[in-house]
Amino acid sequence: MSDVRRTDAVLLLVALVWGSSYLSAQTATAALPVLLVLFARYALSAVTCLGLLASQRRGQRRWTREELRAGVPLGVTQAAVLIVETYGVAHTSAANAGLIISLTIVLTPLLDRGGRRGTLPPAFFAATAVCVLAVGLLMSGNGFHSPRLGDLLMLGAALIRAVHVALVGRFTSGRAVRPAHLTTVQTLVGTALFLPVAAHDLPALVRADPATWAQLLYLALFCSVFAFLAQTWAVQRTSASRASLLLGTEPVWAVAVGVALGGEHLTPLTFLGAALMVAGTYWGQAVERTHRGAPQPARPSADTQTHANAHAPTLSKDSVCPSTPTAATAPTAPTTLTSG
C-alpha cells in the first residue's frame, strides 16, 4: 500500500470510528447513567494518555505553561460538548445524532470570524440553509411533529462543539502546543469534572457486564485516544483539504452503523434529510475553504503611494475630475478550521 493510500485509509478509519461512537454511546447509556459513562470514558482515556506520555523521554513528559493554559479551558468546553451530546444520543437515534452534529462544519466558520476575512459569500449561507432544512426533515421522522428532546440536545451539542473548535484555533494557533500533551490535560480536566457527580454510581460501574465494559473501552481507547492521535498523524502527511473531505464522511458512517448494527431505519423524510445534510455540509465546507484560500488584494505601500502622489498632475478647483473607486481594505485570512 502506498503512503497516500495508507494515509487515506487511516483518515477513513477515524471517520468510521467517530461515526460509530454514537451507537456505542447509546448502548452504554442504556446500561449505565450518562454521567457515569462520561466519567469512565474520560478516566480510561486519561490513564491511556498518561501511559503514552510516560513512555516518552524524561525531558518531553512535562507540560509547558501554554499547554496548561490552553488545555484547562478546552477541557471544560470539551466536557460540555460530550455531556450534551451523550444525553442527546440517549434520546434520539444514532443516525440522527451523527447527522445533526455535523452542523458543526457550517457553524464553526460563522463563530470563528475574528474580523479576519470579511463576510462569507452568499453560497455559504445557502449551504447553511440546506443544513437547517435537513435538520427539520431529520426531526420529522415519520411525519412533522414537535422536535424530540434528543434532536434538540444534538443541535445544542453542535453549537457548543463549534465554539470549542473555534477556541482550539484561538488557543493553539502560533503556539508550541503538543497534541498529545494537550489531549492529556483535557482528559484529566474531564475526569476531575465528572468524578464528583458520578461517584455515587461507581458501584454500578464495577458491576457492569463485559459487553458494557467493551463499549466503554471502545469509546475511550478508539473514539478518543486512537482517533485523535491517528488524525494528527494523518493530517501531517496529507493536505488539509483532502483530510477534511475524508473526515467529513463521519455522518455517512453514523447512518451506516446505526442502520446495519443498531437496527435503525430511515423513513423517506429522514432519508431526504440525511442526503441534504451530507450535501449541505460538504457544500458549506468547500465554500469556506475556497473563501479562506482566496488570494488577498495587495495593498499599496506607503512609499509607493507617496511616489504616485508626487508625480500626479495638479488639478485646479475648476477642473472636472471623475470620481474613482477607492480600494477596499483586504481582510486577513481566518484561522484554519480544526477538527473538534
Side-chain angles (χ1 to χ4, degrees), residues 41-243:
R41 179 175 181 175
Y42 267 107
L44 292 170
S45 299
V47 170
T48 305
C49 288
L50 288 172
L52 292 174
L53 291 187
S55 64
Q56 297 182 358
R57 297 178 182 177
R58 184 180 299 273
Q60 298 176 346
R61 298 175 188 174
R62 294 182 179 179
W63 290 284
T64 65
R65 186 173 301 177
E66 288 184 340
E67 289 165 349
L68 292 173
R69 286 178 177 176
V72 172
L74 291 179
V76 174
T77 55
Q78 185 186 65
V81 173
L82 284 181
I83 190 171
V84 178
E85 180 182 295
T86 308
Y87 271 113
V89 170
H91 294 87
T92 188
S93 67
N96 267 23
L99 288 164
I100 294 174
I101 200 69
S102 64
L103 273 173
T104 303
I105 294 175
V106 293
L107 288 175
T108 304
L110 295 175
L111 297 174
D112 189 26
R113 303 307 306 143
R116 290 187 171 93
R117 186 183 280 277
T119 306
L120 288 162
F124 181 85
F125 296 97
T128 304
V130 171
C131 292
V132 172
L133 174 60
V135 170
L137 293 173
L138 290 170
M139 289 182 175
S140 66
N142 294 316
F144 293 101
H145 52 75
S146 299
R148 288 177 292 183
L149 174 62
D151 295 330
L152 293 176
L153 287 173
M154 293 310 300
L155 276 175
L159 178 59
I160 299 172
R161 184 191 275 193
V163 173
H164 173 73
V165 172
L167 290 177
V168 169
R170 181 174 300 179
F171 290 157
T172 62
S173 179
R175 298 174 183 173
V177 175
R178 293 163 292 183
H181 290 68
L182 182 64
T183 302
T184 305
V185 175
Q186 293 179 80
T187 57
L188 290 172
V189 170
T191 303
L193 288 175
F194 287 115
L195 176 58
V197 294
H200 63 285
D201 289 324
L202 287 178
L205 183 62
V206 176
R207 295 191 301 267
D209 56 54
T212 303
W213 270 103
Q215 298 293 345
L216 294 174
L217 289 170
Y218 181 74
L219 287 170
L221 303 183
F222 288 89
C223 300
S224 296
V225 179
F226 163 77
F228 186 85
L229 295 178
Q231 177 199 15
T232 304
W233 175 88
V235 168
Q236 291 174 341
R237 289 162 173 79
T238 187
S239 66
S241 298
R242 191 178 185 90

Side-chain angles (χ1 to χ4, degrees), residues 214-300:
Q215 298 293 345
L216 294 174
L217 289 170
Y218 181 74
L219 287 170
L221 303 183
F222 288 89
C223 300
S224 296
V225 179
F226 163 77
F228 186 85
L229 295 178
Q231 177 199 15
T232 304
W233 175 88
V235 168
Q236 291 174 341
R237 289 162 173 79
T238 187
S239 66
S241 298
R242 191 178 185 90
S244 61
L245 181 66
L246 295 170
L247 292 173
T249 61
E250 176 188 345
V252 179
W253 295 113
V255 173
V257 172
V259 172
L261 301 180
E264 300 174 358
H265 65 279
L266 298 180
T267 66
L269 284 177
T270 53
F271 181 82
L272 178 59
L276 289 176
M277 178 61 74
V278 173
T281 51
Y282 268 75
W283 182 19
Q285 187 182 55
V287 171
E288 192 275 339
R289 186 169 57 244
T290 302
H291 177 70
R292 172 167 28 96
Q296 302 179 32
R299 277 186 180 179

Side-chain angles (χ1 to χ4, degrees), residues 22-33:
Y22 304 102
L23 181 60
S24 293
Q26 189 180 63
T27 305
T29 53
L32 296 172

